Amino acid sequence: MANISIGVVGAGLIGRKHIMKIREHPDFDLVGIADVNSEGVSAQYPGVPVLRDYREMLDVARPQAVIIASPNQIHAEIGIECARRGVDFLMEKPVTDTLAAASALLGEVRRNNVRTLVGHHRRHHEQVKAVRRYIHDNVIGNLVGVSAIWAAYKPDKYFEIAPWRTQPGGGPILINLIHEIDFLRYTTGEIVAVSATSSNRQRNFPVEDTAGALMEFEGGCIGTFFASDSAVSPWTTEQGVGEAAEFPFSGESSYRFIGSQGSLEFPSLVHWSQADGDQNWNKPVISQRLFASFVDPYVAQLDHFRDVVCGTEQSLQTVEDGARTLIATLAVAEAAQTANRIDLRERYEAVAAGSHSNTTRKAS
Ligand SMILES: NC(=O)c1ccc[n+]([C@@H]2O[C@H](COP(=O)([O-])OP(=O)(O)OC[C@H]3O[C@@H](n4cnc5c(N)ncnc54)[C@H](O)[C@@H]3O)[C@@H](O)[C@H]2O)c1
């Protein structure tokens, strides 16, 4: 098999991580980078063509595939340009900033039949695949509910260096909860409705610092989620899994999946059940630790993208699926603002059909 020629648009925080993984990967050749800061980026990657304009990079380097790691606001236009040229792409999350943009991108992807993958990298963790498998194989019986927390304390500097993070769209719902919602959709099933409440009591910024969401899943499972970026806890997926050095490992579980025959903690994969299948609150509930290996999710994501581009695997997350995660996340923010229960089914259908809902709030 010939190597896949690949370009990267946006060599910022995550773009540079992708470039590092691409250069270490035996099946990809990095043929070009596009970044508006072409001089600075060029100095970091001697020998690789770096262009200011992504269209020029596509013209000059002619990559077979592209990773789009630009700011959210231009995800759609870059994806549309790639699709029109027949270039397969991996789009960083969120798939786009608005539902209208997601709908336009999806239309162009379909017209040109390009292969896509959205960069919700958590889907590539072995622990995530394992918990999904255990739930789907009914290891804990019928899934009755899920209870989850994402709570960490972001230091003042985080807001000082990027004041947009203090404004609506820059808070824990659209920055952090979007990953958790994608994880829940992948492991538990489709979210069909959400209700939520939020507060800015800790920091007094225009954006929320804390939120609570109630999620209804297809099949009837009920989920509750507490999210805060102004509370100290070991309960975030980042800390539990230990996927990045900047978020020190806790190994603690922030998720509890609760079924008719047992429960499962994530990411520790502790399985709780009653001996001899005897379901009775007067009898002890015992635990056993299941096992899943740890892989670098960005490398696993790149391996999967290779297989998607080669046509040997179905994409784990197409643009349409990424748009569903965006719909559910935007709806949590909207529900917290309006105190309404929001049914998502019509919105999923509208984006899939190429028209979009009235909800045009931006994801940051
Ligand atoms: N999956 C993850 O773990 C993860 C982590 C961080 C960020 N992200 C996502 O990745 C994307 C980038 O985030 P980031 O934190 O790396 O941002 P960043 O600001 O660090 O990097 C963005 C880069 O894009 C460049 N850029 C801006 N406009 C451009 C244009 N028109 N053409 C080409 N390049 C342009 C900037 O110069 C910068 O180098 C966002 O969508 C973000 O949500 C994903």
Side-chain angles (χ1 to χ4, degrees):
M1 182 189 84
N3 273 12
I4 296 166
S5 61
I6 191 163
V8 174
V9 181
L13 187 72
I14 195 74
R16 287 197 301 275
K17 186 174 265 194
H18 285 304
I19 290 169
M20 186 173 79
K21 306 292 178 191
I22 288 169
R23 295 179 109 191
E24 290 167 357
H25 201 289
D27 302 327
F28 288 95
D29 291 333
L30 180 65
V31 294
I33 300 172
D35 197 294
V36 285
N37 171 25
S38 56
E39 277 181 24
V41 173
S42 197
Q44 290 173 53
Y45 302 107
V48 182
V50 180
L51 294 122
R52 263 187 76 77
D53 188 318
Y54 67 86
R55 290 180 197 84
E56 242 182 278
M57 188 276 282
L58 294 172
D59 286 340
V60 171
R62 302 183 70 78
Q64 183 183 351
V66 158
I67 294 183
I68 301 169
S70 67
N72 303 344
Q73 296 73 10
I74 49 171
H75 280 189
E77 73 165 66
I78 301 170
I80 287 172
E81 192 66 34
C82 288
R84 287 183 178 155
R85 292 163 186 252
V87 175
D88 300 332
F89 60 83
L90 188 168
M91 179 71 83
E92 260 308 338
K93 50 58 59 178
V95 64
T96 55
D97 58 339
T98 66
L99 300 191
S103 209
L105 177 62
L106 181 58
E108 213 61 45
V109 162
R110 284 193 184 138
R111 264 188 290 285
N112 295 284
N113 206 18
V114 291
R115 294 168 174 139
T116 63
L117 178 65
V118 179
H120 282 288
H121 64 276
R122 294 240 179 100
R123 291 189 179 211
H124 302 276
H125 276 297
E126 288 298 317
Q127 294 104 312
V128 173
K129 289 180 179 168
V131 80
R132 181 175 195 264
R133 204 169 48 244
Y134 290 132
I135 290 170
H136 284 238
D137 291 350
N138 287 330
V139 167
I140 55 172
N142 293 330
L143 192 60
V144 176
V146 53
S147 163
I149 297 173
W150 188 98
Y153 199 94
K154 293 177 182 168
D156 292 347
K157 196 163 166 239
Y158 174 88
F159 301 96
E160 285 159 16
I161 58 173
W164 63 268
R165 291 170 172 157
T166 66
Q167 301 300 311
I173 294 178
L174 283 165
I175 300 295
N176 310 105
L177 196 63
I178 189 166
H179 283 294
E180 312 304 321
I181 285 177
D182 189 69
F183 166 77
L184 282 169
R185 288 191 53 249
Y186 183 58
T187 53
T188 307
E190 196 54 278
I191 300 171
V192 294
V194 296
S195 318
T197 188
S198 66
S199 157
N200 65 351
R201 192 167 61 93
Q202 293 303 315
R203 297 190 198 270
N204 287 311
F205 290 149
V207 70
E208 81 280 348
D209 51 51
T210 303
L214 185 62
M215 299 170 186
E216 298 165 46
F217 292 83
E218 218 165 47
C221 164
I222 292 174
T224 57
F225 211 110
F226 171 78
S228 178
D229 67 9
S230 56
V232 175
S233 96
W235 301 303
T236 63
T237 306
E238 290 90 330
Q239 295 169 95
V241 174
E243 69 177 16
E246 61 267 35
F247 303 116
F249 177 68
S250 75
E252 292 292 320
S253 281
S254 48
Y255 282 82
R256 286 173 173 77
F257 295 92
I258 305 154
S260 56
Q261 289 167 24
S263 302
L264 196 55
E265 296 180 27
F266 173 85
S268 64
L269 298 182
V270 173
H271 176 214
W272 295 89
S273 61
Q274 292 195 296
D276 308 323
D278 192 3
Q279 291 150 259
N280 182 341
W281 70 353
N282 300 121
K283 299 279 176 70
V285 179
I286 54 173
S287 71
Q288 172 192 15
R289 194 174 281 259
L290 306 175
F291 177 77
S293 56
F294 180 83
V295 295
D296 179 332
Y298 295 99
V299 175
Q301 179 175 254
L302 206 48
D303 287 345
H304 177 61
F305 187 47
R306 170 201 58 205
D307 296 339
V308 170
V309 171
C310 292
T312 56
E313 268 188 28
Q314 292 288 324
S315 173
L316 215 50
Q317 188 167 35
T318 61
V319 161
E320 181 175 344
D321 192 85
R324 284 174 167 245
T325 292
L326 180 65
I327 288 168
T329 311
L330 288 171
V332 169
E334 185 187 335
Q337 288 282 309
T338 60
N340 285 331
R341 171 186 177 273
I342 300 177
D343 195 308
L344 304 177
R345 283 166 283 204
E346 279 186 9
R347 296 181 181 197
Y348 292 147
E349 281 169 24
V351 168
S355 53
H356 67 93
S357 105
N358 294 329
T359 312
T360 51
R361 278 189 57 176
K362 292 186 168 194
S364 297

